[in-house]
């Protein structure tokens, strides 16, 4: 059974074609620069590639090109779209409307579009892509939507409410939603399996650290708190995003620069974080090598990240009244030994001990880093959001 997984943004359409018989990736690619000009980069599992400038006025042309790449190009992997059993789409914001993955209907697309106020960059693009997909992919191929926010719908009100007047929650739905839910769900289950335990019996702090980062308290397989909030701006310092900031500093800085709310949002989302503090760049590798060469601001932002993660671990251990395991995932979590070592150093109070040599030598693979006498297990668990989307899709269409 073959499933197409789609991750649509406002100007891009990333995709993977997955053979669910062995969960292998048959092809992956990206239709980029939609609405600007257009480009496709497509790669089949055997190494054949397609790299071409195209014309993508809308998502519809991008989908048509995707179909052509999969079925007709020199890097094709199937003969016809009839070989595809379903399409699974990643959706950023499902708010409190969607607490699990669902089959796509016209009403579902409408609802996703209505939620665009809560995720202006993403949800409208998702709705456009869903409509485009429906117009290009054969009508008998079911589609499923998987939400970044759904896993966090188990958070209790005391964790998701802000101290704003209650009417703003009732009228404008202002609350913590949390993101990266698909990843946190995937890695917490994978960790339980690796530990030989049931996820229902574990208290886990899941650290998804990438260009965007979020930390989640997973108690008994359910998200009970998470660091990202109303939008993916909250929490720890990120590539270009601030992470948590005193709200008064936001209004103060906006006032000083004469920024409108949207300019301030752009400043905090695109010009801040690693980039803004270090002045070096948004990529952790660049920041880390600048820090290694003695750049103090690069070192500062690396220290900030490590310190903030430690504080989340401490607060989530308190929130869950216990902690069995910490896991690292995402581009930074899976690859940066420096960040993992920093987080796990001076954590004797928790009884956390890792094998430093092992930690320095391993990247991107499922590994237990903690020593046998560590009270809390520490693991690298590679994430695979596309696979979870494909698994959810398969489960829904099998029903
Ligand atoms: P993601 O958003 O999950 O793709 O993660 C992107 C982040 O992971 C970037 O900040 C990269 O610098 C970081 N990253 C990727 N590979 C490495 C590596 N080998 N060492 C350190 N950081 C890495």
């Amino acid at each position: 059974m073959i499933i197409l997984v789609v991750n649509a943004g406002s100007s891009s359409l990333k995709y993977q074609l997955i053979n669910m018989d062995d969960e292998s990736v048959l092809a992956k690619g990206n239709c980029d620069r939609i609405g600007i000009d257009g480009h496709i980069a497509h790669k089949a599992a055997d190494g054949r590639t397609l790299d071409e400038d195209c014309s993508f006025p809308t998502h519809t042309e991008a989908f048509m090109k995707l179909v052509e790449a999969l079925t007709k190009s020199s890097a094709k992997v199937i003969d016809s779209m009839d070989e595809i059993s379903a399409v699974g789409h990643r959706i950023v914001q499902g708010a409190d409307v969607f607490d699990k993955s669902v089959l796509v209907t016209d009403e579902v697309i409408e609802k996703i579009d209505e939620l665009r106020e809560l995720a202006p960059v993403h949800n409208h693009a998702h709705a456009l892509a869903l409509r485009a997909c429906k117009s290009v992919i054969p009508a008998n191929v079911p589609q499923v939507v998987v939400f970044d926010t759904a896993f966090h719908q188990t958070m209790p009100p005391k964790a998701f409410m802000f101290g704003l007047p209650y009417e703003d929650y009732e009228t404008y739905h202002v609350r913590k939603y949390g993101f990266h839910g698909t990843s946190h769900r995937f890695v917490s289950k994978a960790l339980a399996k690796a530990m030989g335990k049931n996820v229902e019996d574990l208290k886990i702090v899941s650290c998804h650290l990438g260009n965007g980062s979020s930390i989640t308290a997973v108690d008994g397989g359910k998200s009970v708190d998470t660091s990202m909030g109303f939008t993916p701006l909250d929490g720890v310092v990120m590539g270009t995003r601030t992470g948590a900031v005193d709200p008064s500093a936001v209004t103060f800085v906006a006032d000083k620069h004469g920024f409108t709310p949207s300019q301030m949002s752009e400043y905090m989302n695109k010009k801040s974080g690693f980039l803004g503090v270090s002045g070096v760049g948004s990529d952790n590798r660049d920041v880390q090598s600048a820090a290694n060469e003695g750049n103090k601001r690069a070192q500062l932002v690396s220290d900030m990240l490590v310190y903030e993660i430690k504080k989340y671990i401490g607060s989530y251990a308190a929130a869950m009244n216990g902690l069995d395991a910490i896991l690292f995932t995402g581009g930074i979590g899976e690859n940066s030994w420096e960040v993992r070592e920093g987080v796990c150093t001076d954590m004797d109070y928790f009884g956390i001990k890792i094998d430093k040599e092992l930690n320095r030598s391993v990247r991107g693979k499922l590994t237990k880093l903690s020593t046998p006498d560590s009270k809390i297990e520490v693991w690298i668990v590679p994430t695979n959001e596309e696979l979870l989307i494909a698994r959810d899709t398969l489960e829904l269409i099998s029903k």
Side-chain angles (χ1 to χ4, degrees):
M1 191 173 279
I2 296 175
I3 288 180
L4 175 66
V5 176
V6 173
N7 182 355
S10 48
S11 67
S12 69
L13 202 70
K14 297 199 186 92
Y15 59 91
Q16 277 193 17
L17 196 65
I18 302 181
N19 179 356
M20 295 309 286
D21 298 341
D22 57 0
E23 298 192 332
S24 64
V25 176
L26 297 170
K28 58 165 90 170
N30 187 11
C31 296
D32 208 3
R33 299 177 61 85
I34 299 168
I36 306 164
D37 36 36
H39 181 264
I40 185 166
H42 169 91
K43 190 168 185 186
D46 60 9
R48 285 171 298 137
T49 58
L50 177 72
D51 213 306
E52 205 178 294
D53 288 334
C54 317
S55 170
F56 296 154
T58 71
H59 287 80
T60 305
E61 292 77 16
F63 264 110
M64 288 160 75
K65 190 72 196 175
L66 177 163
V67 169
E68 189 189 313
L70 291 175
T71 59
K72 292 200 173 74
S73 74
S74 56
K76 74 174 209 157
V77 284
I78 49 176
D79 291 323
S80 127
M81 291 307 273
D82 293 337
E83 291 176 44
I84 291 180
S85 301
V87 185
H89 297 260
R90 174 204 176 213
I91 308 292
V92 166
Q93 178 57 279
D96 45 12
V97 179
F98 298 103
D99 62 1
K100 55 180 177 310
S101 305
V102 293
L103 279 164
V104 174
T105 61
D106 287 340
E107 283 103 315
V108 166
I109 301 179
E110 277 311 304
K111 202 70 220 173
I112 289 168
D113 210 1
E114 273 172 34
L115 292 171
R116 70 175 142 190
E117 203 184 20
L118 299 177
V121 187
H122 294 105
N123 267 44
H124 184 52
H126 295 324
L128 288 175
L130 284 163
R131 292 190 186 109
C133 186
K134 276 189 77 173
S135 71
V136 174
I137 308 275
N140 59 336
V141 176
Q143 296 187 51
V144 166
V145 276
V146 180
F147 299 89
D148 272 12
T149 45
F151 183 57
H152 301 299
Q153 279 299 302
T154 45
M155 284 189 292
K158 67 182 177 189
F160 72 65
M161 285 299 290
F162 298 135
L164 286 164
Y166 197 79
E167 295 72 32
D168 288 337
Y169 165 61
E170 290 181 310
T171 314
Y172 303 117
H173 312 283
V174 179
R175 50 158 283 182
K176 177 188 285 200
Y177 290 107
F179 298 86
H180 287 148
T182 313
S183 175
H184 290 297
R185 180 158 61 105
F186 180 86
V187 289
S188 51
K189 268 198 186 159
L191 172 65
K193 191 170 170 219
M195 288 172 71
K197 302 239 163 94
N198 291 322
V199 75
E200 290 75 22
D201 300 327
L202 290 174
K203 295 175 193 289
I204 298 168
V205 172
S206 171
C207 305
H208 179 115
L209 311 173
N211 201 24
S213 298
S214 70
I215 323 268
T216 296
V218 185
D219 192 351
K222 296 199 164 106
S223 168
V224 292
D225 205 345
T226 192
S227 63
M228 282 181 170
F230 179 58
T231 69
L233 183 58
D234 204 355
V236 296
V237 65
M238 294 171 244
T240 57
R241 293 176 233 166
T242 52
V245 179
D246 178 351
S248 297
V250 177
T251 47
F252 181 87
V253 170
D255 190 41
K256 288 289 174 197
H257 287 288
F259 285 159
T260 61
S262 70
Q263 286 169 328
M264 191 60 203
S265 172
E266 168 97 1
Y267 191 66
M268 293 190 296
N269 274 289
K270 300 273 166 66
K271 309 252 163 68
S272 301
F274 291 178
L275 174 67
V277 177
S278 72
V280 171
S282 63
D283 192 292
N284 176 60
R285 285 164 290 202
D286 299 336
V287 173
Q288 193 65 57
S289 58
N292 294 346
E293 284 160 17
N295 183 314
K296 291 213 163 57
R297 279 167 50 185
Q299 186 60 56
L300 170 64
V301 81
S302 302
D303 292 346
M304 284 165 64
L305 175 66
V306 163
Y307 180 63
E308 289 169 10
I309 298 168
K310 286 166 83 112
K311 288 201 296 182
Y312 271 107
I313 292 171
S315 65
Y316 286 166
M320 293 189 286
N321 189 23
L323 180 59
D324 299 303
I326 298 166
L327 73 84
F328 292 99
T329 194
I332 297 176
E334 291 172 35
N335 294 296
S336 169
W337 66 263
E338 292 93 338
V339 170
R340 295 191 304 257
E341 183 173 303
V343 171
C344 296
T345 301
D346 295 331
M347 294 287 260
D348 315 319
Y349 179 76
F350 286 103
I352 293 173
K353 281 193 209 160
I354 60 163
D355 179 333
K356 285 196 179 171
E357 244 170 70
L358 175 66
N359 179 49
R360 286 180 181 217
S361 67
V362 68
R363 273 188 19 197
K365 62 173 208 253
L366 182 70
T367 310
K368 181 178 171 181
L369 302 173
S370 47
T371 56
D373 60 337
S374 179
K375 262 207 256 171
I376 292 161
E377 294 197 14
V378 180
W379 287 74
I380 298 173
V381 183
T383 193
N384 191 340
E385 291 166 89
E386 290 78 12
L387 181 56
L388 189 63
I389 292 170
R391 284 182 186 165
D392 271 15
T393 303
L394 179 61
E395 194 183 318
L396 270 167
I397 61 164
S398 306
K399 280 179 186 166

